[in-house]
Amino acid sequence: LGSANATNAALVRGVNVEILAELKGKRSRVGGIDQILDLDGLGELLADFHKPAPVTSDPHRQEAEKALQNARNAMANAEISLVCEPVAQTATWKLTLTGPIPVLPGIVQAMAWPITLADSHAVAIKQNVAKHGDASPQGYDLGSFSAASLTGLIAFALHTDHPDVFARFVLNLPVSGLPDERDASILRTVLANKDGFLRYLLLLLGQANGDGLTSGNGTRTWGHLFRRMAQGDDVALLEELTRTYSRAPDRLLDVKKLVHDLQRTEADIIPEHFLQLWSVFETALEQRREH
């Protein structure tokens, strides 16, 4: 038996991508190393390796990289958090970054923004941080957002005085004052419409039934079932709800929470025919809990 391993490295958009391939089989069929690497095999895809010239040491870059690493560690260990407050007469909430931001020597600019938004919403959290330290003890106003955009995941960008040395990272910060309707608003944004609701419902029911995205024998596909449900086929809905109630009734509690959360919003994305069927199962769940 013969085998060959080949590792091909390439730069794709500045990212080093390595692919490891392994061939196994009789040498008479897959050939030996020479046959695999000649021009009739992988030869035309390969190039001779030439050891690159040693990189000249750059003290400025090394100093900037060290400052950047220290700044990242300092931010990760800082006691900072977020405060969420409603904006009067609007359906938005103000997000404020609070807590002592450490002095970051070697960092000439620091920005922050919620990861639910593009970096065009970034706010400067320091100005000349190495000299003045925390310039805003009252916190930094990150902006006003809809409930669905509120998050504790905040992106930071740190820049040094070296043009090629900078970093972006995300911290999961504690948040106080999040509105009760945030989860429902996120669901509304993700599901978007009645088709989205039915697809998410299929996911919940599929996990409960252990079927995944297709049935074990391949005859009852979720795509076919979804089309029936989207067309208002009560039989299809009844089949899946009944199957879940029989096999894993506790999983219907996830459906119950989904329905109640969406009903707390003004969004009309739950099909009426589903609500009519669901009322029967919700009653059955209540009776089951009482017994």
Side-chain angles (χ1 to χ4, degrees):
L1 296 178
S3 64
N5 293 302
T7 302
N8 181 28
L11 291 177
V12 180
R13 296 183 180 178
V15 178
N16 188 35
V17 178
E18 296 186 358
I19 301 174
L20 177 64
E22 181 177 6
L23 302 178
K24 290 185 177 181
K26 292 184 176 181
R27 185 182 297 273
S28 60
R29 291 191 175 185
V30 301
I33 298 297
D34 293 337
Q35 288 78 19
I36 293 175
L37 298 182
D38 68 12
L39 293 178
D40 293 330
L42 298 176
E44 62 180 9
L45 302 177
L46 304 177
D48 293 335
F49 172 76
H50 299 285
K51 185 177 180 180
V55 179
T56 304
S57 176
D58 183 352
H60 181 201
R61 184 186 184 98
Q62 292 177 350
E63 182 180 351
E65 290 176 345
K66 183 178 180 179
L68 183 62
Q69 184 60 47
N70 291 337
R72 290 183 62 173
N73 293 338
M75 288 297 297
N77 294 321
E79 296 182 357
I80 53 179
S81 59
L82 299 165
V83 175
C84 182
E85 300 172 306
V87 178
Q89 299 180 347
T90 70
T92 61
W93 283 262
K94 177 183 175 182
L95 204 58
T96 304
L97 180 67
T98 64
I101 304 239
V103 174
L104 306 174
I107 303 301
V108 298
Q109 185 183 54
M111 310 291 288
W113 67 96
I115 65 166
T116 50
L117 303 171
D119 58 7
S120 58
H121 293 81
V123 173
I125 59 173
K126 288 284 183 175
Q127 292 296 328
N128 202 357
V129 293
K131 293 183 179 180
H132 298 299
D134 188 355
S136 180
Q138 289 77 33
Y140 295 89
D141 183 0
L142 299 183
S144 297
F145 314 105
S146 65
S149 295
L150 296 173
T151 179
L153 296 173
I154 302 300
F156 293 88
L158 303 180
H159 293 263
T160 68
D161 58 359
H162 191 290
D164 297 328
V165 180
F166 58 91
R168 290 188 174 193
F169 55 95
V170 175
L171 296 179
N172 188 5
L173 303 179
V175 190
S176 62
L178 285 175
D180 294 336
E181 61 266 34
R182 173 176 174 265
D183 290 348
S185 296
I186 292 175
L187 270 177
R188 174 66 183 89
T189 301
V190 172
L191 302 186
N193 52 41
K194 293 180 180 180
D195 283 356
F197 168 79
L198 290 176
R199 291 184 186 277
Y200 189 70
L201 177 63
L202 278 179
L203 176 62
L204 293 179
L205 297 179
Q207 289 176 342
N209 297 327
D211 290 336
L213 294 178
T214 58
S215 61
N217 57 19
T219 58
R220 188 177 61 87
T221 66
W222 284 117
H224 173 66
L225 180 60
F226 170 73
R227 287 191 294 272
R228 292 174 62 194
M229 293 174 65
Q231 293 168 2
D233 187 339
D234 291 348
V235 175
L237 278 172
L238 181 60
E239 289 175 355
E240 292 309 307
L241 290 171
T242 302
R243 182 179 290 103
T244 303
Y245 184 79
S246 174
R247 296 181 179 181
D250 289 344
R251 292 306 302 270
L252 286 182
L253 296 177
D254 293 336
V255 179
K256 178 180 179 180
K257 183 178 185 304
L258 172 66
V259 172
H260 287 187
D261 285 347
L262 290 175
Q263 286 179 326
R264 290 167 58 185
T265 70
E266 298 179 357
D268 182 23
I269 66 174
I270 305 179
E272 185 63 31
H273 62 279
F274 170 78
L275 288 175
Q276 294 172 358
L277 281 178
W278 173 245
S279 64
V280 176
F281 287 91
E282 189 165 19
T283 301
L285 287 175
E286 290 295 328
Q287 294 176 347
R288 184 186 184 94
R289 183 179 62 84
E290 292 173 359
H291 294 301

